[in-house]
Amino acid sequence: MSLPHRLIQILTLRCEAASGLTSQRLDERLPLPERLALRGHLLTCGACRRLDRQLRILRDANRLRVAGDPAAPDDDLSPEARARIAHAIGAASPEAGNNSNGSNSIE
Amino acid sequence: MTADHASEIDPPQTATSPTDAAEWLAAHGDALYRFARLRLGTRELAEDFVQDTFLAALGSRDRFQGRSSTRTWLLAILRRKIVDHYRRSRSVREATEPDPTARRFFRIDGHWLAAPSPWKTPPEILADEEFRAVIDDCLGRLPPSLAEAFVLREREGLEVEAVREVLALSAGGLRVRLHRARLLLRDCLETHWFDDRPPASPRPT
């Protein structure tokens, strides 16, 4: 895309494209023109500011979720499954015939 | 992710050993299981796939160059197995999925069709069990290709490069999926949580 074309596109950023940049910003650093364009858009657009805030809430809620949630035991392998898998790993290893199999307990 | 294993500096070509896999199981078993569970639905199937993943990883240990983290590598193996599984049982290709956000949130001119409503979000909301259940439910309604991208990035906290590697996606492809997933989840939460909340004062019965 030519530079003037791109500049015009950035200067006339609409909510749909702004929402894409809002999402992208959560994953990587935006190039300068996009960063400025998004900042300008957010200054004047309450709906997109709200989106920005809500996507961050969504992130925080999900990050917390995996950090050892006692309320969701289903998020983790059960001890039984863990033991079964450990056993299968031990049995499948070619050199597992020796004593290394004696203790395959993994907490 | 494995930065705390200071003693774990592998020689370039270690012989496959069951110890490796035992360590993998301890360090990555839960993350693999969560991903498998998301994509496969039942617990039993998910457990089987996790086991298969470790066995396959043992077999290809010498091909692992250590370019990516062990977790990324294992997730990529698991994900390929899941894709194969669906390819065998269905003929639907994920790549041909239509855009589920098309003209749903924005008008053709790029303006909001319906702007996000304000959310009342006290800090405690993040720990609210019901709120989390609604998020899980909304996640379950996403097309799998969007849910897996979202979960790896926002739940497991993988860097974008790692997510791309696991899902075999281009930078643009992942960007689009994360954008769509976030818009859909936000919308679903608004509908099923924020709009449904009882008013602040108890309703007269």
Side-chain angles (χ1 to χ4, degrees):
Chain A
M1 195 184 302
S2 72
L3 185 63
H5 190 107
R6 189 151 164 263
L7 270 178
I8 287 171
Q9 211 184 33
I10 287 171
L11 286 172
T12 58
L13 191 69
R14 296 283 163 81
C15 298
E16 184 166 21
S19 81
L21 293 179
T22 299
S23 166
Q24 192 182 340
R25 188 164 71 159
L26 292 172
D27 304 314
E28 58 197 291
R29 190 171 165 78
L30 295 178
L32 185 66
E34 277 82 359
R35 211 153 65 228
L36 294 176
L38 180 61
R39 203 176 295 165
H41 183 90
L42 291 182
L43 271 177
T44 57
C45 180
C48 287
R49 277 201 302 277
R50 213 173 263 165
L51 174 77
D52 188 38
R53 226 174 301 130
Q54 293 174 359
L55 292 189
R56 286 167 202 275
I57 292 170
L58 200 56
R59 157 165 291 181
D60 292 344
N62 278 284
R63 289 274 159 95
L64 266 180
R65 192 43 223 275
V66 152
D69 189 345
D74 214 28
D75 275 4
D76 295 333
L77 272 175
S78 67
E80 298 76 36
R82 200 174 275 275
R84 204 160 55 235
I85 293 171
H87 183 78
I89 290 170
S93 306
E95 65 269 52
N98 53 32
N99 61 356
S100 73
N101 229 2
S103 66
N104 57 1
S105 66
I106 297 148
E107 71 271 25
Chain B
M1 216 160 278
T2 53
D4 51 342
H5 292 214
S7 62
E8 191 197 51
I9 299 156
D10 285 327
Q13 298 287 320
T14 23
T16 302
S17 91
T19 333
D20 285 337
E23 278 175 16
W24 295 337
L25 176 59
H28 310 296
D30 290 334
L32 292 176
Y33 171 72
R34 282 192 294 266
F35 186 76
R37 187 70 205 270
L38 172 83
R39 291 298 316 269
L40 295 162
T42 77
R43 211 173 94 181
E44 290 71 22
L45 204 53
E47 290 169 357
D48 285 351
F49 272 70
V50 172
Q51 176 168 324
D52 281 358
T53 299
F54 284 119
L55 296 180
L58 268 177
S60 61
R61 174 78 173 92
D62 52 344
R63 273 187 278 132
F64 176 48
Q65 303 295 326
R67 271 179 294 110
S68 46
S69 78
T70 306
R71 180 169 297 186
T72 305
W73 174 61
L74 291 169
L75 278 167
I77 295 174
L78 169 61
R79 207 255 174 184
R80 275 198 299 275
K81 287 188 175 296
I82 294 171
V83 170
D84 283 350
H85 168 76
Y86 281 117
R87 232 169 239 162
R88 255 178 277 126
S89 55
R90 293 187 217 148
S91 56
V92 186
R93 287 295 183 90
E94 289 185 1
T96 58
E97 267 174 24
D99 173 9
T101 63
R103 301 277 74 88
R104 180 159 162 197
F105 303 119
F106 299 97
R107 298 201 310 242
I108 198 102
D109 64 6
H111 289 291
W112 284 101
L113 215 48
S117 333
W119 288 1
K120 291 216 168 24
T121 47
E124 313 87 75
I125 198 178
L126 297 181
D128 187 305
E129 269 179 47
E130 252 184 278
F131 183 61
R132 294 179 184 205
V134 175
I135 294 183
D136 282 0
D137 185 52
C138 286
L139 209 48
R141 295 168 193 237
L142 287 187
S145 65
L146 301 188
E148 63 181 3
F150 182 86
V151 157
L152 290 176
R153 175 72 188 130
E154 299 289 49
R155 219 165 243 207
E156 303 294 340
L158 262 56
E159 293 299 326
V160 268
E161 293 74 23
V163 181
R164 284 176 48 194
E165 188 176 331
V166 173
L167 302 181
L169 280 175
S170 66
L174 177 60
R175 210 175 283 148
V176 166
R177 286 186 199 200
L178 287 173
H179 181 210
R180 289 175 183 170
R182 287 173 174 140
L183 287 178
L184 288 167
L185 279 175
R186 195 215 65 82
D187 184 63
C188 180
L189 269 185
E190 187 159 303
T191 309
H192 293 99
W193 176 266
F194 292 99
D195 287 357
D196 280 359
R197 289 296 86 195
S201 52
R203 249 178 289 208
T205 42

